[in-house]
Short mmCIF file of all heavy atoms in Angstrom, two decimals:
data_model
loop_
_atom_site.label_atom_id
_atom_site.label_comp_id
_atom_site.label_asym_id
_atom_site.label_seq_id
_atom_site.Cartn_x
_atom_site.Cartn_y
_atom_site.Cartn_z
N ALA A 95 -33.73 -56.41 186.61
CA ALA A 95 -32.93 -56.58 187.82
C ALA A 95 -33.80 -57.06 188.97
O ALA A 95 -34.94 -56.61 189.13
CB ALA A 95 -32.24 -55.27 188.19
N GLY A 96 -33.27 -57.97 189.76
CA GLY A 96 -33.94 -58.44 190.96
C GLY A 96 -32.96 -58.36 192.12
O GLY A 96 -31.81 -58.74 191.99
N GLU A 97 -33.41 -57.82 193.23
CA GLU A 97 -32.54 -57.65 194.39
C GLU A 97 -33.17 -58.28 195.62
O GLU A 97 -34.26 -57.89 196.03
CB GLU A 97 -32.29 -56.18 194.64
CG GLU A 97 -31.58 -55.51 193.49
CD GLU A 97 -31.34 -54.04 193.75
OE1 GLU A 97 -31.56 -53.58 194.90
OE2 GLU A 97 -30.95 -53.36 192.81
N PHE A 98 -32.48 -59.25 196.15
CA PHE A 98 -32.87 -59.91 197.39
C PHE A 98 -31.59 -60.06 198.21
O PHE A 98 -31.05 -61.15 198.33
CB PHE A 98 -33.50 -61.27 197.10
CG PHE A 98 -34.61 -61.17 196.09
CD1 PHE A 98 -34.37 -61.41 194.74
CD2 PHE A 98 -35.89 -60.80 196.48
CE1 PHE A 98 -35.39 -61.29 193.80
CE2 PHE A 98 -36.91 -60.69 195.55
CZ PHE A 98 -36.66 -60.93 194.21
N PRO A 99 -31.06 -58.92 198.73
CA PRO A 99 -29.75 -58.95 199.39
C PRO A 99 -29.63 -60.14 200.33
O PRO A 99 -30.56 -60.42 201.07
CB PRO A 99 -29.71 -57.62 200.16
CG PRO A 99 -30.63 -56.74 199.37
CD PRO A 99 -31.72 -57.64 198.85
N PRO A 100 -28.55 -60.87 200.21
CA PRO A 100 -27.32 -60.60 199.49
C PRO A 100 -27.28 -61.16 198.06
O PRO A 100 -26.21 -61.35 197.50
CB PRO A 100 -26.27 -61.30 200.36
CG PRO A 100 -27.03 -62.51 200.86
CD PRO A 100 -28.44 -62.04 201.08
N VAL A 101 -28.44 -61.43 197.45
CA VAL A 101 -28.50 -61.98 196.10
C VAL A 101 -28.98 -60.90 195.14
O VAL A 101 -29.98 -60.24 195.40
CB VAL A 101 -29.45 -63.20 196.04
CG1 VAL A 101 -29.53 -63.76 194.64
CG2 VAL A 101 -29.01 -64.28 197.02
N TYR A 102 -28.24 -60.74 194.03
CA TYR A 102 -28.57 -59.75 193.00
C TYR A 102 -28.63 -60.48 191.67
O TYR A 102 -27.75 -61.25 191.33
CB TYR A 102 -27.51 -58.63 192.99
CG TYR A 102 -27.43 -57.96 194.34
CD1 TYR A 102 -26.56 -58.44 195.32
CD2 TYR A 102 -28.27 -56.90 194.66
CE1 TYR A 102 -26.52 -57.87 196.58
CE2 TYR A 102 -28.24 -56.33 195.92
CZ TYR A 102 -27.36 -56.81 196.87
OH TYR A 102 -27.33 -56.25 198.12
N ASN A 103 -29.69 -60.21 190.91
CA ASN A 103 -29.95 -60.96 189.68
C ASN A 103 -30.28 -60.03 188.53
O ASN A 103 -30.81 -58.93 188.74
CB ASN A 103 -31.12 -61.92 189.93
CG ASN A 103 -31.53 -62.69 188.70
OD1 ASN A 103 -32.45 -62.29 188.00
ND2 ASN A 103 -30.85 -63.77 188.41
N CYS A 104 -30.01 -60.48 187.31
CA CYS A 104 -30.44 -59.79 186.10
C CYS A 104 -30.89 -60.85 185.10
O CYS A 104 -30.19 -61.85 184.90
CB CYS A 104 -29.32 -58.95 185.50
SG CYS A 104 -29.85 -58.01 184.04
N ARG A 105 -32.04 -60.62 184.49
CA ARG A 105 -32.57 -61.57 183.51
C ARG A 105 -32.83 -60.86 182.20
O ARG A 105 -33.46 -59.80 182.16
CB ARG A 105 -33.87 -62.19 184.01
CG ARG A 105 -34.57 -63.03 182.93
CD ARG A 105 -35.76 -63.73 183.47
NE ARG A 105 -35.25 -64.91 184.17
CZ ARG A 105 -35.98 -65.94 184.52
NH1 ARG A 105 -37.27 -65.95 184.29
NH2 ARG A 105 -35.45 -66.97 185.13
N TYR A 106 -32.33 -61.47 181.12
CA TYR A 106 -32.64 -61.02 179.76
C TYR A 106 -33.48 -62.12 179.12
O TYR A 106 -33.21 -63.30 179.31
CB TYR A 106 -31.36 -60.84 178.94
CG TYR A 106 -30.45 -59.74 179.43
CD1 TYR A 106 -29.34 -60.03 180.21
CD2 TYR A 106 -30.70 -58.41 179.08
CE1 TYR A 106 -28.50 -59.01 180.65
CE2 TYR A 106 -29.86 -57.40 179.51
CZ TYR A 106 -28.76 -57.69 180.30
OH TYR A 106 -27.93 -56.69 180.73
N GLN A 107 -34.48 -61.71 178.33
CA GLN A 107 -35.38 -62.70 177.74
C GLN A 107 -35.76 -62.28 176.32
O GLN A 107 -36.00 -61.12 176.05
CB GLN A 107 -36.64 -62.81 178.60
CG GLN A 107 -37.60 -63.87 178.14
CD GLN A 107 -38.71 -64.09 179.16
OE1 GLN A 107 -38.48 -64.12 180.36
NE2 GLN A 107 -39.92 -64.24 178.68
N THR A 108 -35.83 -63.28 175.42
CA THR A 108 -36.27 -63.03 174.05
C THR A 108 -37.78 -63.21 173.96
O THR A 108 -38.41 -63.70 174.91
CB THR A 108 -35.60 -64.02 173.06
OG1 THR A 108 -36.13 -65.34 173.30
CG2 THR A 108 -34.09 -64.03 173.19
N GLU A 109 -38.35 -62.87 172.81
CA GLU A 109 -39.79 -63.08 172.60
C GLU A 109 -40.14 -64.56 172.61
O GLU A 109 -41.28 -64.93 172.89
CB GLU A 109 -40.22 -62.45 171.27
CG GLU A 109 -40.29 -60.96 171.31
CD GLU A 109 -40.81 -60.35 170.02
OE1 GLU A 109 -41.14 -61.10 169.08
OE2 GLU A 109 -40.90 -59.12 169.97
N ASP A 110 -39.17 -65.43 172.28
CA ASP A 110 -39.39 -66.88 172.29
C ASP A 110 -39.12 -67.50 173.66
O ASP A 110 -39.03 -68.72 173.79
CB ASP A 110 -38.51 -67.56 171.24
CG ASP A 110 -38.93 -67.20 169.82
OD1 ASP A 110 -40.12 -66.90 169.62
OD2 ASP A 110 -38.06 -67.21 168.94
N PHE A 111 -38.93 -66.66 174.67
CA PHE A 111 -38.71 -67.08 176.06
C PHE A 111 -37.36 -67.76 176.29
O PHE A 111 -37.20 -68.51 177.25
CB PHE A 111 -39.86 -67.96 176.57
CG PHE A 111 -41.19 -67.27 176.46
CD1 PHE A 111 -42.10 -67.65 175.49
CD2 PHE A 111 -41.51 -66.23 177.31
CE1 PHE A 111 -43.32 -67.00 175.38
CE2 PHE A 111 -42.72 -65.57 177.21
CZ PHE A 111 -43.63 -65.96 176.24
N ASP A 112 -36.38 -67.52 175.42
CA ASP A 112 -35.01 -67.92 175.72
C ASP A 112 -34.51 -66.94 176.78
O ASP A 112 -34.82 -65.74 176.73
CB ASP A 112 -34.12 -67.87 174.48
CG ASP A 112 -34.51 -68.93 173.46
OD1 ASP A 112 -35.09 -69.96 173.85
OD2 ASP A 112 -34.22 -68.72 172.27
N ILE A 113 -33.76 -67.45 177.74
CA ILE A 113 -33.41 -66.65 178.92
C ILE A 113 -31.91 -66.71 179.21
O ILE A 113 -31.28 -67.76 179.08
CB ILE A 113 -34.19 -67.15 180.15
CG1 ILE A 113 -35.68 -66.93 179.94
CG2 ILE A 113 -33.71 -66.49 181.43
CD1 ILE A 113 -36.55 -67.58 181.00
N LEU A 114 -31.39 -65.58 179.64
CA LEU A 114 -30.03 -65.49 180.17
C LEU A 114 -30.15 -64.88 181.56
O LEU A 114 -30.68 -63.78 181.70
CB LEU A 114 -29.16 -64.62 179.27
CG LEU A 114 -27.67 -64.61 179.59
CD1 LEU A 114 -26.89 -64.23 178.35
CD2 LEU A 114 -27.31 -63.67 180.72
N ASP A 115 -29.73 -65.62 182.57
CA ASP A 115 -29.76 -65.14 183.96
C ASP A 115 -28.35 -64.94 184.48
O ASP A 115 -27.47 -65.80 184.27
CB ASP A 115 -30.44 -66.17 184.88
CG ASP A 115 -31.94 -66.00 184.95
OD1 ASP A 115 -32.40 -64.84 185.03
OD2 ASP A 115 -32.64 -67.01 184.93
N VAL A 116 -28.14 -63.83 185.16
CA VAL A 116 -26.88 -63.53 185.84
C VAL A 116 -27.24 -63.30 187.30
O VAL A 116 -28.08 -62.45 187.61
CB VAL A 116 -26.20 -62.26 185.26
CG1 VAL A 116 -24.91 -61.97 185.99
CG2 VAL A 116 -25.99 -62.39 183.77
N THR A 117 -26.62 -64.06 188.20
CA THR A 117 -26.90 -63.93 189.62
C THR A 117 -25.58 -63.80 190.38
O THR A 117 -24.63 -64.51 190.09
CB THR A 117 -27.67 -65.17 190.14
OG1 THR A 117 -28.85 -65.34 189.35
CG2 THR A 117 -28.04 -65.02 191.60
N VAL A 118 -25.56 -62.88 191.34
CA VAL A 118 -24.38 -62.69 192.18
C VAL A 118 -24.82 -62.81 193.63
O VAL A 118 -25.78 -62.18 194.05
CB VAL A 118 -23.73 -61.31 191.95
CG1 VAL A 118 -22.53 -61.12 192.87
CG2 VAL A 118 -23.33 -61.13 190.50
N LEU A 119 -24.09 -63.63 194.36
CA LEU A 119 -24.29 -63.77 195.80
C LEU A 119 -23.10 -63.11 196.48
O LEU A 119 -21.95 -63.44 196.19
CB LEU A 119 -24.38 -65.25 196.18
CG LEU A 119 -24.52 -65.58 197.66
CD1 LEU A 119 -25.76 -64.92 198.26
CD2 LEU A 119 -24.58 -67.07 197.86
N VAL A 120 -23.37 -62.13 197.34
CA VAL A 120 -22.32 -61.38 198.02
C VAL A 120 -22.19 -61.90 199.45
O VAL A 120 -23.14 -61.84 200.23
CB VAL A 120 -22.64 -59.87 198.04
CG1 VAL A 120 -21.51 -59.09 198.72
CG2 VAL A 120 -22.90 -59.35 196.63
N PHE A 121 -21.02 -62.43 199.76
CA PHE A 121 -20.74 -62.93 201.10
C PHE A 121 -20.06 -61.85 201.93
O PHE A 121 -19.54 -60.87 201.38
CB PHE A 121 -19.85 -64.17 201.03
CG PHE A 121 -20.54 -65.36 200.42
CD1 PHE A 121 -20.45 -65.62 199.06
CD2 PHE A 121 -21.28 -66.23 201.20
CE1 PHE A 121 -21.08 -66.71 198.49
CE2 PHE A 121 -21.93 -67.32 200.64
CZ PHE A 121 -21.82 -67.56 199.28
N ASP A 122 -20.00 -62.05 203.24
CA ASP A 122 -19.36 -61.07 204.11
C ASP A 122 -17.86 -60.98 203.87
O ASP A 122 -17.28 -59.91 204.02
CB ASP A 122 -19.61 -61.41 205.59
CG ASP A 122 -21.07 -61.19 205.97
OD1 ASP A 122 -21.74 -60.35 205.33
OD2 ASP A 122 -21.54 -61.87 206.90
N ASP A 123 -17.25 -62.11 203.53
CA ASP A 123 -15.81 -62.12 203.30
C ASP A 123 -15.42 -63.31 202.43
O ASP A 123 -16.25 -64.18 202.15
CB ASP A 123 -15.04 -62.15 204.64
CG ASP A 123 -15.48 -63.29 205.54
OD1 ASP A 123 -15.54 -64.44 205.06
OD2 ASP A 123 -15.77 -63.04 206.72
N ASP A 124 -14.15 -63.33 202.01
CA ASP A 124 -13.65 -64.40 201.13
C ASP A 124 -13.76 -65.78 201.78
O ASP A 124 -14.09 -66.76 201.11
CB ASP A 124 -12.18 -64.15 200.76
CG ASP A 124 -11.97 -62.89 199.93
OD1 ASP A 124 -12.92 -62.11 199.75
OD2 ASP A 124 -10.83 -62.69 199.47
N GLU A 125 -13.47 -65.86 203.08
CA GLU A 125 -13.49 -67.14 203.77
C GLU A 125 -14.89 -67.75 203.79
O GLU A 125 -15.06 -68.95 203.53
CB GLU A 125 -12.97 -66.97 205.20
CG GLU A 125 -12.89 -68.27 205.97
CD GLU A 125 -12.37 -68.08 207.39
OE1 GLU A 125 -11.79 -67.02 207.70
OE2 GLU A 125 -12.56 -69.01 208.19
N THR A 126 -15.90 -66.93 204.07
CA THR A 126 -17.28 -67.41 204.08
C THR A 126 -17.70 -67.86 202.68
O THR A 126 -18.36 -68.88 202.52
CB THR A 126 -18.23 -66.31 204.59
OG1 THR A 126 -17.77 -65.86 205.87
CG2 THR A 126 -19.65 -66.83 204.72
N ALA A 127 -17.27 -67.11 201.66
CA ALA A 127 -17.58 -67.47 200.27
C ALA A 127 -16.97 -68.83 199.92
O ALA A 127 -17.62 -69.68 199.31
CB ALA A 127 -17.07 -66.39 199.32
N GLU A 128 -15.74 -69.04 200.35
CA GLU A 128 -15.05 -70.31 200.08
C GLU A 128 -15.76 -71.47 200.78
O GLU A 128 -15.93 -72.55 200.20
CB GLU A 128 -13.59 -70.22 200.53
CG GLU A 128 -12.79 -71.49 200.34
CD GLU A 128 -12.42 -71.77 198.89
OE1 GLU A 128 -12.34 -70.83 198.09
OE2 GLU A 128 -12.20 -72.96 198.56
N LEU A 129 -16.18 -71.27 202.03
CA LEU A 129 -16.88 -72.32 202.76
C LEU A 129 -18.20 -72.69 202.08
O LEU A 129 -18.53 -73.87 201.95
CB LEU A 129 -17.16 -71.87 204.21
CG LEU A 129 -15.95 -71.80 205.14
CD1 LEU A 129 -16.34 -71.13 206.45
CD2 LEU A 129 -15.40 -73.20 205.40
N ALA A 130 -18.95 -71.69 201.63
CA ALA A 130 -20.21 -71.96 200.95
C ALA A 130 -19.97 -72.66 199.63
O ALA A 130 -20.71 -73.58 199.25
CB ALA A 130 -20.98 -70.66 200.73
N TYR A 131 -18.93 -72.26 198.91
CA TYR A 131 -18.57 -72.90 197.64
C TYR A 131 -18.26 -74.38 197.87
O TYR A 131 -18.76 -75.25 197.17
CB TYR A 131 -17.36 -72.17 197.04
CG TYR A 131 -16.87 -72.74 195.74
CD1 TYR A 131 -17.34 -72.26 194.53
CD2 TYR A 131 -15.93 -73.77 195.72
CE1 TYR A 131 -16.88 -72.78 193.33
CE2 TYR A 131 -15.47 -74.30 194.54
CZ TYR A 131 -15.95 -73.81 193.34
OH TYR A 131 -15.50 -74.34 192.15
N GLU A 132 -17.44 -74.66 198.87
CA GLU A 132 -17.08 -76.05 199.20
C GLU A 132 -18.32 -76.85 199.58
O GLU A 132 -18.46 -78.01 199.19
CB GLU A 132 -16.07 -76.08 200.35
CG GLU A 132 -14.68 -75.68 199.95
CD GLU A 132 -14.01 -76.68 199.03
OE1 GLU A 132 -14.39 -77.87 198.99
OE2 GLU A 132 -13.08 -76.27 198.31
N MET A 133 -19.24 -76.23 200.33
CA MET A 133 -20.46 -76.92 200.74
C MET A 133 -21.30 -77.28 199.51
O MET A 133 -21.85 -78.38 199.42
CB MET A 133 -21.26 -76.06 201.70
CG MET A 133 -22.47 -76.77 202.29
SD MET A 133 -23.38 -75.72 203.45
CE MET A 133 -22.21 -75.62 204.79
#
Side-chain angles (χ1 to χ4, degrees):
E97 298 180 10
F98 308 95
V101 179
Y102 302 89
N103 177 264
C104 183
R105 171 175 280 196
Y106 295 100
Q107 184 170 318
T108 70
E109 286 184 1
D110 292 332
F111 303 106
D112 292 335
I113 296 171
L114 189 156
D115 273 318
V116 180
T117 305
V118 179
L119 177 58
V120 182
F121 292 92
D122 291 333
D123 54 50
D124 296 8
E125 183 180 344
T126 305
E128 178 74 25
L129 288 171
Y131 179 92
E132 286 292 337
M133 186 179 291

